[in-house]
Amino acid sequence: MVTPDWPGVRPEWSRTIEVKSTSGGDVPGTVRQWHLLDNGAELARLGLAPAGTLLCVHGNPTWSYLWRTLLAAGSDPAHRWRVVAVDQLDMGYSERTGTFRRLPDRINDLGDLTDALGLKGPVVTVGHDWGGVISLGWALAHPQQLAGVVLTNTAVHQPSGADIPPALRLALHPAVHKWGTTTSDAFLRVTHSLAHPPLPAGIRKAYEAPYRGARRRAGVGNFVADIPVDASHPSFPALSGVAEGLRGLQVPALMLWGPRDPIFSDRYLKDLLTRLPHADVHRFEGAGHLLAEDRDIAEPVFDWLARNVSPRENESPEAEAATAGGLGLVDAPEPAEFRPLWDLLGEQAAGPAGGETAVAEMAPDGTTARSLSWHQLERNILDLAEGLRDAGVGNGSRVSLMVPPGVDLTVALYACLRLGAVVVVADAGLGTKGLSRAVKGATPDFLLGIDKALAAASVLGWPGRRISVRDLPASRRRMLGVETSLAALARAGAGGNPGQLRESAYPEAPAAVLFTSGSTGPAKGVLYTHRQLAAMRDTVAETFGIRPGARLVAGFAPFALLGPALGAVSVTPAMDVTAPRTLTASALADAAAAIDATVVFASPAALRNVLATREGLSAAGHKALGSIGLLLSAGAPVPEPLLAEVQRLLPRASLHTPYGMTEALPVTDISLEQIQAADADAAAGTVTGAGNGVCVGTSVHGARVAVVPLAADGTAPGCDPVTEAGVTGEILVSAAHVKEAYDRLWLIQQESSSLPGWHRTGDVGHFDAVGRLWVEGRLAHVVTAPGAVVTPVGAEQAIERLDGVRLAAITGVGPAGTQAVVAVVETVPPARKAGPAAPQLAGDVRRAALEAGVHVSAVLAVPAQPTDIRHNAKIDRSRLSRWASRVLAGGRPGTP
């Protein structure tokens, strides 16, 4: 056939083939003409022997054009994969048969085609939409040829009692079906509108080209009509056969998903994962149904093939060096004896401290609202665990905990862990949008929440069977879709057998999904095993000397949950934990007095407000704070002047600012005295590498830290970790408490673990000559100016030392390699509106930055920096960059 001008398709790929049908929708022996896009001839012309074949099957109403990026990438000598993208019969440019082809017919059709092609292994199937089911049907029927499966937004099972997606339900309605799918092109246009961003005109026309005219759209209508909505449908047995057959499929599997899909939502991904639990998964936030159009899927597919199906050949010398010893490959230490996270909690309950307070939460009036002794805490955990188990929570169940830090959350968390369930902790500090995205992505089986969270779940469509914290009136339960309450489950589980629960958790089993703050993009789920959570507990205990009997004021949710694991008495102060800056001096003092606290954890934003409200402290409050022996503050850099002020408020406390991240908490530690010594070394210039960043000290117990040097383009492409003084690079960490993986983010996980034994943090920094680590910012925020790579933190610190500047951010504007350096400052008092800074301020900022070695091209002022919700401290520099670009181009400033 003559190939029209299809953007992205090489004419030589297009071909037709006559195929003899053996069964299914035709009389055996009937010859049908198929259209394919096939790069096999191109590979032969280039003299490249293919590593295997990708058999790509489109859904409805697309065609083989969907897979053009895979065809192009497969022809690259670096990949060498033959890609055969089919147009199913009655679809694309294949023959219009005039017959109604059902699911089993289409699976047989595909087998007839591959027989005609003489397709041998290894074959990896690639499917989308209903092409996913058909490709899997072929895979199950051809085990000898099959080497792997790749799926994008598809489904193999419709949960009983659940409605099919509204868009498909409408398309199936008798009053709409024929007109919407065949008579008109409405179904095509609606499907094409699901692309994010919208399809360019040329690509949209290419998709529409094979379906011009009602006679050419009969297959589109038949495809919709063949959706098995219930067990009475003729194709239901075939669909069920594919769905159940997947449970025995052991080949490598990759699922690439667009969660913004109104048809195949995350619930279908969850179902697929129950059938292919070993699959690698990557969810592309913001992408939807037409994933192959929304995102580049070629690179991840071929990267995955190289790792899982065709081993890489001719690794680069740098990659070989990374596994040749030294710092390149970290020898895994022998795992320590495993003690579950709740081990010390049980010991405290059984020991002489059993009757003493274990957890408490404060009321706004400064009194203790609730508390439990160690014995009560252990008993409540066991009772609730029994009740949860009877309700269906078990090993591997995902349970989203939407409960504020305090007694209820502590009991629920440890009860779930004791059962071997995976707790999903996505706090309200992510904001409504971020929280909703996180919960939907984690697809919990159960959602335990307060009324506010359950109401949000109803409005926003969060998944999971719903359990309230308190008993609710029947009408309220029905309105929120609540099955039962934690209180009712605890009553039902009272007096259960705790011995059975102790066997529920295995060291390497998943235990928790924690979410990053979302300050550098969508919040990422971070998966931890039971062993890694226990290692985090042990690292914190050894690094900071927190032993059983310590008394902790937890102004940050993770430490409220870690306290019982440390054997420490824990109290949650009266504050909005989703907004750290709501912690007041009086609330902190009241919490400290309630338990005679010895340790405090509070974020930098919380400390700022504590200092701002200290005038209201009573003598008793000062006395309570004066008894604190250790203060920990993390989540963002803590300026030395701020710590010095805190020291005056907590005169006996040793002030520490551990550096870490959700993926590894903590990594390094430094005290106020050590910060002052490091700053003095930087000012004096006597220690090589001292300065240009925030000094975060040295590695914590059991951790190793190194950097991969930055290249001239601002990336860190090397494979040779170093610890040399003054070498700026991406920071790496190796420790037993580093996360297991990013949850359902296979691509990001591969990037973060590309150096064996190391986690790539995405932060940049350097060591000084005495081994201290200095953090210079995020890799994503490095500015590539002409002839220079600029890291932001050093200049920001210099600017923040100016009178009248509260917070500063350095960002880049313009093309990579020629970016202009822009400083954005938040002033005191706040600027009335955002825009160019006053000449005097701009001059002061430029001079301060120049002293740090950075040439600033423009200075802008804002009333408030855009910071993350969780810490109220991490500045969104990428957002500022976009805003600054608009302002400097003459646009209206608005709000960054």
Side-chain angles (χ1 to χ4, degrees), residues 847-867:
R847 283 188 290 273
L850 191 58
E851 290 177 5
V854 176
H855 295 265
V856 170
S857 299
V859 181
L860 304 176
V862 293
Q865 296 279 18
T867 60

Side-chain angles (χ1 to χ4, degrees), residues 399-405 409 412 424-428 435-436 439 444 446-454 456-457 462 467 469:
V399 183
S400 179
L401 301 178
M402 310 292 286
V403 184
L409 180 58
V424 177
V425 183
D427 62 79
L435 178 60
S436 187
V439 175
F446 296 84
L447 193 153
L448 314 186
I450 57 174
D451 277 21
K452 185 177 179 181
L454 295 171
W462 293 346
I467 300 173
V469 174

Side-chain angles (χ1 to χ4, degrees), residues 797-845:
Q797 286 185 309
I799 296 169
E800 287 174 357
R801 286 192 283 269
L802 294 171
D803 291 337
V805 174
R806 180 177 179 271
L807 289 173
I810 293 291
T811 190
V813 170
T818 61
Q819 288 183 311
V821 179
V822 178
V824 182
V825 296
E826 177 183 330
T827 59
V828 180
R832 286 185 297 174
K833 62 180 182 179
Q840 179 64 46
L841 175 61
D844 292 344
V845 168

Side-chain angles (χ1 to χ4, degrees), residues 355-374:
E356 299 174 3
T357 299
V359 292
E361 56 189 63
M362 302 301 294
D365 64 0
T367 61
T368 302
R370 298 174 64 197
S371 67
L372 294 177
S373 69
W374 287 105

Side-chain angles (χ1 to χ4, degrees), residues 126-141:
V126 184
H128 171 252
D129 191 85
W130 291 106
V133 183
I134 295 162
S135 69
L136 291 171
W138 184 95
L140 293 170

Side-chain angles (χ1 to χ4, degrees), residues 679-705:
D679 289 346
D681 289 340
T686 55
V687 177
T688 302
N692 191 35
V694 175
C695 186
V696 295
T698 55
S699 302
V700 297
H701 175 80
R704 296 181 68 193
V705 183

Side-chain angles (χ1 to χ4, degrees), residues 408-443:
D408 291 324
L409 180 58
T410 302
V411 172
L413 175 94
Y414 284 95
C416 290
L417 291 176
R418 295 288 281 264
L419 285 170
V422 181
V423 295
V424 177
V425 183
D427 62 79
L430 298 177
T432 301
K433 184 177 179 181
L435 178 60
S436 187
R437 186 165 48 204
V439 175
K440 288 181 178 180
T443 57

